[in-house]
């Protein structure tokens, strides 16, 4: 039995070895068969059936892995060489396919498509994009709270059905170690699309020298459009491109961020170059408000910038946007100081012959009013440089300094008037305009009642000085000084020099002098101007209160002496009522040839 058992065991072992060998051969043959099928699909190329082509590449990778682990077979090395060569060709074709597919769906975005993604409140009107996107409009939209982030729609840059294919192609290229080729293709294709989209929108790359040469009206319009463009770029165009990158390079975070950063770097540079040129150009007072508009939009976009430009690869882009925000704030702050100095040293020779409000005064006051429209922006701006948090007091301090600079300049301008009365009328008008404007604006809350009361006292001081300089001389004609009178026309005697009665001739001279002086004052001061109706009326009343009682008293005392002689109306030309009526014509800014009422 023993020999039979040994022979049976040997036969069974032989069968097992045969089965094992057959199975191994079957596996090898299956791999060879799969390799041939993959080869056939790859040689056809990816155009006809990209999905099958990608499956063939996956199969080829499995073949390579199998034969790499089974190098004992006689033909393993030859198969591996052929398979690796085929895989390299396949990946090369995939690069071309990725490039062609990406280029096919990479067209510059038309402005209308970008506008459609904006909230209704930000879409340009049919008449003009420029009017809609001015800095002033931007400011009021911001104040009214209509810039809700949720109002922006998604922009589709590449059809959704194409993105999975691009992702699969990218995946194969990454697995083949072709990240750099992938990065180069994506950057070269998409970067030019981003640039062209912005140029179609109207974005220009301008230098500081270009900005310096522009007329202010042209520059102001360009700044208004830039504010509109950078909002569209960050909230619509770049957000759309970020979504494309996220889907194509899903699973490859570093490559994804690098592709996005290199794709938009040129476009961001183009956008920021204009803002940077403005921030670095020569400061001037009129630029302050557009600087604040630009600073305001950059602050508004900061949260989006941090999200959209997230990741290490975008560090430089993020820093450049934050740097521009800081430079705009710095330039705006410097402009405050420049404006204060310009106000104090303004040497314009604009003649204000009638003593009215000087153009500089109205310009500065309007400037200050606009500042208070930007209170929230200014608080943020001051916080860029101050850690104390006392931003409201900073604005109050700046405003007070500007007002003081204006008063200093007005004091200097008032010296141009030869007539002291007109000089004080000029200062009264201008400082009253300052006080009235502050009282009617938000500046009152910040500057406080003490400031208002202090400057109201200055207005009253100049009004008193005007009365003293303009009317003291004529009031001397109506005084009893220099006249001696005893009982005149039954009236009581007035003791004077020598104790004798006043002569008729002396009284007539006084009336003549009064008539000449009053007519000169009327002719001159009816050409002067007090533009504020309340101030004008109060000043007339103040003059009437000192002139009319003195005139009535003088006529009552000395009128009978003149009336007893010939032609009394020649000397007593006016009644007190006539004078009151003529005072009503003072400060109306009449021309010298305008008829009297």
């Amino acid at each position: 039995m023993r020999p039979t058992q040994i022979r049976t065991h040997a036969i069974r072992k032989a069968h097992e070895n045969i089965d094992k060998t057959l199975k191994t051969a079957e596996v090898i043959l299956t791999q060879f068969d799969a390799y041939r099928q993959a080869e056939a699909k790859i040689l056809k190329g990816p155009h006809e059936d990209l999905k099958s082509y990608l499956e063939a590449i996956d199969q080829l990778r499995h073949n390579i892995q199998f034969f790499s682990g089974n190098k004992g077979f006689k033909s393993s090395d030859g198969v591996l060489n052929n398979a690796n060569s085929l895989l390299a060709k396949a990946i090369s074709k995939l690069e071309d396919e990725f490039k062609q597919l990406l280029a096919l769906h990479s067209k510059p975005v038309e402005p209308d498509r970008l506008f459609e993604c904006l909230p209704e409140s930000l879409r340009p009107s049919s008449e003009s994009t420029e009017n809609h996107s001015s800095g002033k409009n931007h400011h009021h939209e911001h104040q009214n709270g209509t810039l809700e982030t949720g109002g922006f729609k998604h922009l589709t840059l590449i059809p959704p059905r194409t993105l999975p294919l691009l992702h699969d192609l990218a995946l194969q290229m990454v697995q083949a170690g072709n990240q750099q080729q992938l990065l180069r293709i994506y950057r070269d294709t998409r970067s030019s699309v981003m640039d062209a989209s912005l140029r179609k929108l109207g974005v220009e790359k301008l230098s500081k020298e270009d900005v310096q040469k522009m007329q202010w009206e042209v520059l102001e319009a360009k700044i208004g459009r830039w504010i509109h463009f950078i909002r569209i770029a960050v909230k619509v165009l770049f957000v759309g491109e970020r979504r494309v990158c996220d889907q194509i390079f899903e699973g490859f975070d570093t490559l994804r961020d690098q592709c996005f950063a290199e794709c938009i770097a040129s476009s961001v540079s183009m956008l920021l170059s204009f803002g940077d040129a403005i921030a670095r150009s020569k400061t001037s007072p009129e630029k302050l408000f557009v600087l604040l508009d630009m600073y305001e939009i950059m602050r508004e976009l900061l949260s989006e910038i941090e999200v959209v430009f997230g990741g290490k690869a975008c560090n430089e882009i993020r820093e450049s946007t934050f740097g521009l925000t800081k430079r705009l704030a710095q330039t705006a702050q410097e402009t405050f100081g420049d404006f204060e100095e310009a106000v104090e040293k303004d040497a314009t020779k604009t003649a204000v012959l009638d003593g009215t409000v000087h153009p500089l005064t109205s310009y500065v006051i309007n400037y200050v009013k606009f500042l208070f429209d930007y209170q929230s922006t200014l608080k943020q701006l001051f916080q860029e440089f101050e850690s104390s948090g006392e931003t409201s007091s900073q604005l109050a301090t700046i405003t007070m300094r500007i007002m003081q600079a204006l008063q200093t300049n007005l004091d200097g301008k008032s010296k141009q008037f030869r007539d002291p009365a007109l000089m004080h009328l000029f200062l009264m008008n201008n400082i009253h305009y300052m006080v009235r404007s502050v009282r009617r604006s938000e500046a009152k809350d910040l500057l406080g009642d003490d400031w208002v009361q202090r400057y109201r006292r200055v207005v009253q001081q100049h009004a008193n000085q005007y009365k003293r300089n303009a009317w003291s001389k004529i009031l001397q004609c109506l005084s009893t000084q220099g006249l001696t009178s005893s009982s005149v026309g039954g009236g009581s005697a007035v003791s004077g020099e020598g104790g004798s009665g006043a002569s008729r001739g002396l009284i007539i001279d006084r009336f003549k002098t009064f008539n000449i002086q009053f007519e000169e004052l009327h002719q001159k001061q009816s050409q002067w101007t007090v533009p504020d109706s309340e101030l004008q009326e109060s000043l007339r009343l103040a003059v009437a209160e000192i002139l009319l009682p003195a005139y009535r008293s003088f006529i009552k005392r000395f009128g009978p002496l003149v009336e007893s002689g010939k032609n009394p109306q020649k000397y007593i030309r006016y009644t007190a009522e006539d004078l009151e009526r003529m005072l009503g014509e003072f400060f109306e800014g009449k021309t010298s040839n305008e008829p009297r009422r």
Side-chain angles (χ1 to χ4, degrees), residues 22 42 79 85 93 173 175 187 199 218 233 265 270 283 287 477 488 549 578 580:
L22 287 173
I42 286 169
V79 172
S85 175
K93 286 184 179 181
M173 290 174 69
Q175 287 177 347
R187 179 195 63 213
R199 280 195 294 271
V218 175
M270 188 194 308
T283 60
K287 280 186 186 173
C477 296
V488 179
D578 292 332
E580 188 172 14

Side-chain angles (χ1 to χ4, degrees), residues 273-412:
S273 69
F274 179 76
D276 196 60
I278 297 294
R280 294 181 187 277
S281 63
K282 187 179 177 183
T283 60
S284 60
E286 66 271 14
K287 280 186 186 173
L288 176 61
F289 299 108
V290 293
L291 284 168
L292 291 176
D293 282 331
M294 293 171 76
Y295 173 75
E296 195 174 66
I297 187 64
M298 293 305 293
R299 289 284 307 182
E300 178 195 317
L301 296 174
L302 281 184
S303 58
E304 276 88 0
I305 287 168
E306 287 179 341
V307 173
V308 177
F309 302 149
K312 188 177 177 182
C314 291
N315 277 351
E316 192 175 329
I317 293 173
R318 274 199 315 278
E319 290 306 314
S320 63
T321 58
F322 297 156
L324 174 59
T325 307
K326 196 86 172 175
R327 274 193 299 281
L328 288 167
Q330 183 70 51
T331 308
Q333 194 174 54
E334 289 169 5
T335 306
F336 277 122
D338 293 345
F339 180 65
E340 182 187 333
E341 186 178 349
V343 170
E344 190 167 341
K345 295 182 178 178
D346 177 76
T348 52
K349 300 295 183 184
T350 306
V352 185
L353 302 177
D354 60 353
T356 191
V357 175
H358 196 280
L360 176 67
T361 304
S362 54
Y363 174 72
V364 171
I365 294 302
N366 284 334
Y367 200 90
V368 170
K369 283 181 182 176
F370 274 125
L371 281 183
F372 282 89
D373 284 342
Y374 286 83
Q375 272 194 82
S376 59
T377 305
L378 287 168
K379 285 177 182 177
Q380 290 176 333
L381 186 146
F382 294 141
Q383 284 169 358
E384 297 268 359
F385 308 101
E386 295 290 334
S387 56
S388 63
E390 293 297 319
T391 54
S392 295
S393 62
Q394 281 183 284
L395 181 55
T397 302
I398 286 171
T399 306
M400 286 179 182
R401 287 208 309 259
I402 290 173
M403 292 295 203
Q404 184 56 54
L406 176 58
Q407 188 181 3
T408 301
N409 186 281
L410 291 170
D411 287 340

Side-chain angles (χ1 to χ4, degrees), residues 22-35 66-67:
L22 287 173
K23 284 178 182 176
T24 303
E26 188 179 351
V27 169
I28 293 171
L29 289 171
T30 302
Q31 289 293 329
F32 270 109
D33 187 47
Y35 170 76
F66 174 81
F67 286 109

Side-chain angles (χ1 to χ4, degrees), residues 90-327:
I91 295 300
S92 178
K93 286 184 179 181
L94 273 189
E95 279 186 28
D96 293 338
E97 184 65 18
F98 182 85
K99 186 175 182 179
Q100 289 173 19
L101 189 60
L102 187 65
L104 180 65
H105 297 288
S106 294
K107 304 290 184 231
V109 185
E110 294 298 325
D112 285 347
R113 282 192 62 212
L114 294 170
F115 297 150
E116 285 168 6
C117 296
L118 299 176
E120 287 289 344
S121 60
L122 288 176
R123 292 183 189 180
S125 61
S126 56
E127 298 87 32
S128 169
T129 303
E130 294 174 24
N131 291 341
H132 172 82
S133 59
S134 70
K136 186 175 178 183
N137 281 351
H138 156 72
H139 171 66
H140 288 301
E141 286 160 3
H142 189 69
Q143 292 295 95
N144 295 335
T146 57
L147 296 186
E148 68 280 3
T149 310
F152 289 85
K153 297 177 183 174
H154 287 332
L155 174 68
T156 302
L157 291 171
I158 291 178
R161 58 184 171 75
T162 306
L163 290 170
L165 294 176
L166 288 168
H167 170 71
D168 292 343
L169 290 167
L171 176 63
Q172 293 292 347
M173 290 174 69
V174 170
Q175 287 177 347
N178 291 20
Q179 288 96 327
Q180 288 307 308
Q181 293 94 314
L182 187 59
L183 171 62
R184 176 180 50 76
I185 291 168
Y186 191 87
R187 179 195 63 213
D188 293 350
T189 306
R190 296 299 300 166
S191 177
S192 59
V193 170
M194 292 290 104
D195 289 353
S197 299
L198 288 181
R199 280 195 294 271
K200 275 179 171 283
L201 188 61
V203 176
E204 304 170 87
K205 188 160 188 172
L206 296 171
S207 66
K208 186 173 79 171
E209 290 71 27
D210 296 329
V211 166
Q212 296 282 46
K213 292 174 189 173
M214 286 183 196
Q215 292 185 343
W216 170 241
E217 292 76 13
V218 175
L219 183 60
E220 188 178 27
K222 284 186 181 294
I223 290 170
R225 290 196 296 273
W226 180 85
I227 288 168
H228 195 48
F229 296 158
I230 197 166
R231 185 190 287 117
I232 291 173
V234 172
K235 292 197 172 190
V236 178
L237 188 62
F238 296 157
V239 167
E241 188 62 26
R242 171 54 96 172
R243 279 197 301 274
V244 168
C245 275
D246 287 349
Q247 291 177 68
I248 292 177
F249 303 108
E250 184 182 359
F252 316 110
D253 293 352
T254 303
L255 180 62
R256 177 196 64 196
D257 291 344
Q258 196 173 357
C259 282
F260 177 70
E262 295 197 17
C263 163
I264 63 163
S266 172
S267 300
V268 172
S269 174
M270 188 194 308
L271 270 170
L272 298 187
S273 69
F274 179 76
D276 196 60
I278 297 294
R280 294 181 187 277
S281 63
K282 187 179 177 183
T283 60
S284 60
E286 66 271 14
K287 280 186 186 173
L288 176 61
F289 299 108
V290 293
L291 284 168
L292 291 176
D293 282 331
M294 293 171 76
Y295 173 75
E296 195 174 66
I297 187 64
M298 293 305 293
R299 289 284 307 182
E300 178 195 317
L301 296 174
L302 281 184
S303 58
E304 276 88 0
I305 287 168
E306 287 179 341
V307 173
V308 177
F309 302 149
K312 188 177 177 182
C314 291
N315 277 351
E316 192 175 329
I317 293 173
R318 274 199 315 278
E319 290 306 314
S320 63
T321 58
F322 297 156
L324 174 59
T325 307
K326 196 86 172 175
R327 274 193 299 281

Side-chain angles (χ1 to χ4, degrees), residues 487-506:
S487 190
V488 179
S492 61
V494 180
S495 58
E497 298 173 9
S500 60
S503 71
R504 184 172 181 272
L506 199 55

